[in-house]
């Protein structure tokens, strides 16, 4: 037979306060988690308070209910751990796919620019070769041999002319060869750019698929956390009711639930007020600077300060203080608000017209928007942090056209914003 601890009939005030506080903390966490995707209905069946009371009818039933509740608590904890790990992995896979696409897009752009420059060089070489051919054609119209026989006193000048024509012919051969090489270079670069451009579609689709998978994994993790927040504290309280003689556990739990609801509403109101106060006004083109702080790293190939690997830095880094507000650079719809692998906690906005903006390294707990939400330019969407591949608090800001990263400095400058 199992023996349960024999305590006083009424729970001590300190224990009641601790229980109520635990409820408030857990439910407040659930409210914060609700900024993510909505919690789907769970297939798990949880015991009611009536089930707990009925289980007290016998020691065996009581023990069975304790075992059931402990199993549920373990399951909730494990599910949170598993889904969070899956979300982190999905974020890393997405970030890797996005990086491959960005690097390929930059290579295609570079090859296209080089091909254009080579085309101009080839055209100039061919023009020069054509002009020389015309000059040789004009020179060949004069009969040098006849002039030499009919004007023997001018032989010296005519022989000089023959030597000059020989050198001109040699020069022509070099110019023709250079023109041919220049044309070959231009064609080769154009072919490489075409191959690179054709590969972009598949890389773009792969990055989009990985982004969607990361979104789904994040939703599962949010649902698991919300499920835990909504049920674990009640399960803990039911264990207390089963393993002690306390008679007011349910009442204290219900009181705690109501207090948590009020506290969560007040916290949400404060958060809304703080976000509204932090909102900044867009310029005439509808754009704003996404955060304060000076630029600490620009767009381009660099040695990553976090992993020391040479790679494309697909945005600019702005370094205000830790926890500083991050603003939507333009009105749009939230495509992503989750773990982005090396980007850390990341928000991506679809700003319309094939343009999107991304905001990385958001502090844990710093999301103020969720996927699918519509935001306005200048609205605070997050807070600056140092998550992911980061060596200190900063905002990693990206601008994308057609899904491919482009340098935010000239992009934003064209819209009247200096970053």
């Amino acid at each position: 037979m199992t023996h349960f601890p024999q305590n006083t009939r009424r729970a001590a005030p300190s224990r009641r306060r601790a229980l109520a506080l635990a409820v408030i903390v857990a439910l407040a966490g659930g409210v914060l988690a609700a900024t993510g995707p909505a919690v789907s209905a769970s297939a798990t069946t949880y015991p009611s308070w009536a089930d707990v009371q009925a289980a007290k009818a016998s020691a065996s039933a009581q023990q069975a209910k304790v075992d059931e509740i402990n199993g549920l608590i373990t399951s909730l904890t494990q599910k949170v751990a598993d889904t969070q790990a899956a979300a982190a992995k999905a974020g890393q896979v997405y970030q890797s796919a996005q990086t491959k696409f960005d690097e390929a897009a930059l290579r295609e752009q570079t090859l296209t620019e080089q091909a254009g420059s080579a085309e101009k060089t080839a055209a100039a070489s061919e023009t020069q070769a054509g002009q020389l051919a015309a000059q040789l054609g004009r020179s060949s119209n004069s009969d040098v041999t006849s002039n030499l026989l009919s004007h023997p006193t001018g032989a010296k000048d005519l022989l000089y002319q023959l030597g000059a024509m020989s050198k001109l012919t040699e020069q022509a051969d070099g110019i023709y060869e250079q023109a041919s090489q220049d044309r070959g270079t231009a064609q080769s670069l154009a072919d490489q750019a075409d191959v690179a451009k054709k590969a972009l579609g598949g890389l773009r689709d792969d990055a989009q698929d990985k982004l969607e998978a990361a979104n789904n994994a994040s939703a599962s993790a949010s649902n698991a956390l919300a499920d835990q927040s909504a049920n674990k504290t009640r399960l803990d309280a039911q264990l207390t009711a089963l393993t002690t003689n306390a008679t007011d556990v349910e009442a204290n739990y219900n009181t705690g639930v109501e207090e948590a609801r009020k506290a969560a509403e007040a916290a949400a109101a404060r958060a809304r007020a703080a976000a509204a106060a932090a909102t900044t006004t867009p310029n005439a083109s509808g754009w704003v600077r996404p955060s304060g702080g000076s630029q600490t790293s620009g767009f381009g190939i660099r040695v990553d300060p976090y992993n020391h690997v040479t790679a494309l830095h697909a945005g600019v880094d702005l370094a205000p203080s830790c926890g500083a507000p991050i603003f939507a650079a333009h009105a749009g719809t939230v495509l992503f608000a989750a773990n982005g692998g090396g980007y850390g906690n990341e928000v991506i906005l679809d700003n319309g017209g094939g343009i999107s903006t991304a905001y990385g390294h958001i502090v844990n707990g710093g999301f103020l928007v969720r996927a699918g939400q519509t935001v306005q330019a200048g609205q605070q969407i997050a807070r600056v942090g140092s998550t992911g591949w980061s060596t200190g608090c900063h905002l990693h800001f990206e601008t994308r056209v057609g899904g491919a990263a482009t340098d935010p400095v000239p992009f934003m400058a064209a819209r009247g914003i200096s970053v």
Side-chain angles (χ1 to χ4, degrees), residues 56-77:
K56 289 184 175 183
S58 69
S60 60
Q62 199 169 4
Q63 182 60 53
K65 190 59 66 176
V66 168
D67 292 343
E68 176 191 349
I69 291 174
N70 278 327
L72 288 168
I73 291 173
T74 299
S75 177
L76 284 170
T77 302

Side-chain angles (χ1 to χ4, degrees), residues 344-392:
N345 296 325
E346 181 185 25
V347 168
I348 301 176
L349 301 182
D350 177 0
N351 303 109
I355 294 172
S356 60
T357 48
Y359 313 76
H361 305 312
I362 294 166
V363 68
N364 287 327
F367 288 119
L368 299 178
V369 294
R370 62 185 182 278
Q373 180 178 341
T374 299
V375 299
Q376 301 303 313
Q379 176 180 335
Q380 186 181 354
I381 57 175
R383 295 191 296 273
V384 170
S386 186
T387 55
W389 295 353
S390 171
T391 57

Side-chain angles (χ1 to χ4, degrees), residues 155-343:
K156 185 176 180 180
D157 292 338
L158 291 171
L159 288 173
Y160 175 81
Q161 183 178 356
L162 285 172
M165 288 183 62
S166 176
K167 290 187 176 295
L168 187 61
T169 302
E170 291 176 5
Q171 182 182 5
D173 290 341
I175 290 175
Y176 293 150
E177 182 179 355
Q178 185 62 53
S180 178
Q181 290 177 355
D182 289 343
R183 172 53 59 194
T185 298
Q187 188 60 53
S188 175
L189 287 169
D191 291 342
Q192 291 180 60
D194 187 54
V195 170
K197 186 173 184 178
K198 289 178 180 177
L200 286 181
L203 291 171
R204 181 187 292 109
D205 291 344
D206 187 51
Q208 184 60 40
D209 289 343
K210 298 302 189 295
L211 175 67
E212 185 176 348
N215 251 336
N216 292 337
S218 175
S220 295
S222 294
N223 290 344
L225 182 61
D227 197 23
Q228 183 190 54
S229 298
N231 292 291
K232 185 178 182 299
T233 304
R234 186 185 66 257
L235 292 171
D236 286 337
Q238 289 175 337
L239 276 180
T240 300
L242 282 167
T243 58
T244 71
N245 290 328
T247 59
D248 55 357
V249 176
E250 182 180 358
N252 287 336
Y253 171 80
N254 290 333
T255 298
V257 168
E258 180 59 21
E259 290 177 353
R261 184 188 65 78
K262 292 178 181 178
E265 288 180 352
R270 289 194 298 271
R272 287 193 298 270
T279 298
T280 188
T281 303
N283 66 8
S285 64
W287 288 79
V288 303
R289 199 175 197 268
S291 80
S294 59
Q295 183 185 143
T296 57
S297 186
F299 179 92
I301 302 297
R302 67 169 190 178
V303 176
D304 191 294
Y306 183 85
N307 57 20
H308 310 295
V309 173
T310 300
L312 171 65
H313 184 236
V316 296
D317 292 341
L318 303 176
S321 59
C322 295
I326 298 172
F327 307 106
H330 190 66
T333 302
V334 180
L335 292 177
F336 185 76
N339 185 312
Y343 293 112

